[in-house]
Amino acid sequence: MTWQDDAGRDLVRSFGERMAMFVRGEGSYLWDAEGTRYLDFLAGIAVDSLGHAHPVFVEAIATQAATLAHVSNYFATPPQLALAAMLKRVAGTGDGGRVYFGNSGAEANEAAFKLARLHGGSDRPRILALTDAFHGRTMGTLALTGKPWMQEPFLPMTPGVEFIDSTIEALEAAIDDRVAALFIEPVKGEAGVLELPAGFLRAAREITERHGVLLIIDEIQTGAGRTGEWFAFQHEGITPDAITVAKGIGGGFPIGALITYGAASELFYPGTHGSTFGGNALGTAVAGAVVGEIERAGLVQNAAERGEQLRSAILGIDSALIGGVRGRGLLLGVALTHPIAKAVVAAAQEHGLVINAPNDETIRLVPALTIGDVEIDEFVALFTAALRTVEDALLLETPTEVPA
Ligand SMILES: *Cc1c(COP(=O)(O)O)cnc(C)c1O
């Protein structure tokens, strides 16, 4: 029996076939059971902010597990209060902000969806989200996710959500006083690292404010410093009504949060939402240590600088398969000139590089925020080799004219 047999028999089929089985990680490297080493530029989908087995992460889990793991939300704990204060500070909420803790991105967005309904009441039944944006796989967050093929097997959706294009004209046309909230994914990671048009976020803030609409920004993939600011909206100098975070905040520990600003912080009242595990001492201690280390080690700035370095390095690769690089900081999408992203991912794995393809024409790069020259140089060598492998295969498939 191989691990592939076990996985094929015992695990849910919704993920498709597992590409490898990893047994250990350290920094930006992973090892499989055969001892083969891989450079990890996926970092568990923008989750492992500090890389694998970072001493700060390990120490936080061990110490908190040996002190106090869980007491339920009938009680407060020091790590929970410390993380809430830290998130309010880096998100710039000021004193009026509040934090709701859940255990995943979807749970953070579910809380945001309920926040939108509390704000909307019966006067504002409409909720707007962007076509192609991804907000999660639960029934509520799927209703917010503008991808018909994902929704189709699970219809009917929770009503009230409408999808609009990511243009300022579409914002102007759609937003009125019947809208409760506008959800925005500031860089559409799952859709292929698509950026919003220039001025879009500022226009969204201005128009939502004018109509009393909550502006809710999904920072689940973009947050925790990944784009070179703590949160992507901060590049635009606006203040939202709420943001959702998860992935990189926990550095590998499952945790999510809804962070509210100003008046939106007063919408939930006792009994309107909850979670048994959410915000427990163990999870918040680990996330507190991860966020603290991102700050201490200057990793937000590192994401900005290494992101630019990585972008230039990729654009310097001599390959006809590279069409360009999208994204910001260490959330980059390499646009390919042919729909061969899956083949590039497979070839990369053969060469010892873990990357991923959110669609057929894009490679997504979301490495640990700790990467430096060594990882970037190694990435370029492995990625170049993978592209060569795919180019060679393409040449074989396309018979060239035989000279007479
Ligand atoms: C990953 C992601 C989610 C869902 O998070 P889960 O932890 O998988 O539930 C939601 N929104 C965005 C933008 C994401 O990238």
Side-chain angles (χ1 to χ4, degrees), residues 83-104:
L83 180 62
M86 207 185 295
L87 289 177
K88 282 178 58 175
R89 177 168 56 78
V90 295
T93 67
D95 284 346
R98 291 184 187 276
V99 181
Y100 166 81
F101 290 113
N103 310 286
S104 65

Side-chain angles (χ1 to χ4, degrees), residues 104-107 109 134-136 185 190 218 220-221 246-247:
S104 65
E107 281 180 67
N109 281 342
F134 179 78
H135 296 296
E185 186 187 10
E190 304 300 311
D218 180 339
I220 289 165
Q221 191 155 160
K247 292 197 168 89

Side-chain angles (χ1 to χ4, degrees), residues 129-156:
L130 302 181
T131 304
D132 274 343
F134 179 78
H135 296 296
R137 297 287 205 153
T138 58
M139 287 306 292
T141 59
L142 187 58
L144 293 171
T145 294
K147 296 170 191 272
W149 65 269
M150 272 193 196
Q151 294 188 344
E152 200 275 329
F154 304 102
L155 296 174

Side-chain angles (χ1 to χ4, degrees), residues 341-353 355 382 385-387 389-390:
K342 301 230 158 43
V344 173
V345 168
Q349 191 175 313
E350 290 294 309
H351 288 278
L353 172 66
I355 50 178
L382 296 174
L387 292 172
T389 301
V390 173

Side-chain angles (χ1 to χ4, degrees), residues 205-225:
R205 176 67 288 184
E206 196 268 308
I207 301 166
T208 50
E209 196 147 44
R210 202 187 322 142
H211 290 281
V213 173
L214 296 184
L215 176 61
I216 302 175
I217 304 189
D218 180 339
E219 295 270 4
I220 289 165
Q221 191 155 160
T222 49

